[in-house]
Amino acid sequence: MKTLKKTVMILSCMAIAGGLLAGCGKKDTAQGTANGAKTEGKKYTFRLADTHPADYPTVIGDKKFAELVNERTNGRIKIDVFPASQLGEEKSVIEQVQLGAIEFTRVNSSPLAEFNKQFGVFSLPYIFDTDQHLWKFLQSDAGNKLLDTLETSKMKGLAYYSSGSRHFYSRKPLTSLADLKGQKIRVQQSKINMDLISALGANPTPMPYGEVFSSLQTGVIDAAENNFPSYDSSNHYEVAKHMILDNHQRAPEVLLISQSTWKKLSEEDQKIIKQAALDSVQTQREAWDKYEKQSEAKIRAAGVTITEVKDLKPWQDAVKPMIDKYRGEYKDVLDQIDSARK
Ligand code: GTR
């Protein structure tokens, strides 16, 4: 039923997209008013897709972004936020953004890497020591340049959002690296993530986010991995009750716009949109910090077995050959990530 609804929405949107040649956005022309230039120009209604529920920190960031754009254009540009995968799972949403059928999305950098290789660097394990290290890199010239590389993939990166760090959780006892051996572990649809799981001695199963809960519940997979907020909001903790905290990835979230939509906007509108995206980051990061703490407390109170990894060395040693395999491809950016550590 849900899938049928989604298909109908996607098809109708694509039909509209064909007719308007302006993505799915409705376009009109606003009257200029005494308020000045910002109210003049074309009127748009755009859509922004997010996989998370309405109260999740990324969606709070999306909404702040939409609100700022609306305010700064005096209502001329309206961005409707569609949470909870209403417009589809991340891979399909990215494809639609490339076509211009969905104008905006917030996605994680791991699935994005399948569309733009450069983003794969974030999927490499244990390359950031802390969140501070990650953000120092994201806010550097190198981090900003990476957002711009999306232009070669028919998108334009607007801003990064927080996503904390990821850990493994399983239906089976999980208190050491050895316990992961042979487990069937769901990963985001990304090649590097599959290599990561194999390097740790387990079996990777790529799968859309929305299928993970029932796959854990029925035993189609043994385990998955994510940050505390997703483990909580997806209810995965109810069916996979053993977690090990290894912080293997700090893959940030990315807010982006379809390149075809971007090109249709006036220079002034482009500036408003870019700035609103950057200005929404603070709201998202504050919401993230709050939600992350609440989720961890909730999960601990729910009786999940949580093991902290005391010595990361065996984990890092296990993935070293796979990192070395990718080192050539990501040499420059890995050097920039290293220098953000200082
Ligand atoms: C979450 C991320 C989502 C999605 C999900 C997944 O942490 O915010 O965008 O990528 O992970 O595992 O599919």
Side-chain angles (χ1 to χ4, degrees), residues 50-52 56 58 90 106-108 111 163 166 186-188 207-209 225-227 230 253 288:
D50 196 307
T51 198
H52 288 300
Y56 194 91
T58 54
E90 288 188 330
R106 187 292 312 161
V107 284
N108 187 252
S163 194
R166 298 175 77 103
R186 178 270 172 172
V187 286
Q188 290 156 299
M207 172 187 293
Y209 190 48
E225 48 77 61
N226 223 312
N227 49 45
S230 289
E253 312 291 359
W288 177 267

Side-chain angles (χ1 to χ4, degrees), residues 125-246:
Y126 313 115
I127 58 166
F128 293 104
D129 298 341
T130 56
D131 235 31
Q132 231 179 341
H133 178 198
L134 168 73
W135 274 96
K136 198 160 160 223
F137 170 75
L138 295 180
Q139 289 170 333
S140 69
D141 284 351
N144 284 322
K145 274 204 194 113
L146 211 55
L147 284 179
D148 293 337
T149 65
L150 284 174
E151 285 172 21
T152 58
S153 315
K154 300 189 186 149
M155 296 174 268
K156 180 160 177 70
L158 296 172
Y160 294 107
Y161 280 170
S162 276
S163 194
S165 66
R166 298 175 77 103
H167 313 289
F168 291 99
Y169 45 86
S170 175
R171 289 157 50 93
K172 301 180 176 172
L174 185 53
T175 57
S176 68
L177 175 57
D179 286 341
L180 277 184
K181 269 222 159 14
Q183 290 212 28
K184 219 169 161 192
I185 304 181
R186 178 270 172 172
V187 286
Q188 290 156 299
Q189 289 160 296
S190 122
K191 170 85 176 72
I192 299 184
N193 280 349
M194 292 183 68
D195 287 352
L196 161 62
I197 300 300
S198 304
L200 294 175
N203 300 321
T205 306
M207 172 187 293
Y209 190 48
E211 288 171 25
V212 181
F213 180 85
S214 62
S215 302
L216 281 170
Q217 195 174 37
T218 55
V220 168
I221 50 170
D222 303 309
E225 48 77 61
N226 223 312
N227 49 45
F228 275 114
S230 289
Y231 182 45
D232 164 17
S233 65
S234 61
N235 296 323
H236 293 174
Y237 72 97
E238 288 175 5
V239 282
K241 298 182 176 169
H242 305 275
M243 187 181 212
I244 188 159
L245 305 183
D246 75 313

Side-chain angles (χ1 to χ4, degrees), residues 270-282:
Q270 289 178 345
K271 273 194 204 136
I272 292 173
I273 283 177
K274 174 71 188 176
Q275 196 55 48
L278 294 177
D279 291 345
S280 69
V281 172
Q282 197 189 339

Side-chain angles (χ1 to χ4, degrees), residues 10 14 17-18 21-24 92-103 153-155 258-261 264:
I10 291 165
M14 292 186 85
L21 289 175
C24 204
S92 120
V93 164
I94 298 171
E95 283 162 2
Q96 293 181 75
V97 167
Q98 286 185 312
L99 293 171
I102 295 175
E103 294 86 2
S153 315
K154 300 189 186 149
M155 296 174 268
S258 166
Q259 178 75 352
S260 68
T261 310
K264 282 170 201 144

Side-chain angles (χ1 to χ4, degrees), residues 28-32 37-44 76 266 269:
D28 209 341
T29 305
Q31 298 290 316
K38 283 183 187 173
T39 62
E40 285 166 18
K42 286 173 185 148
K43 265 177 126 178
Y44 297 95
R76 192 167 49 74
S266 68
D269 285 348

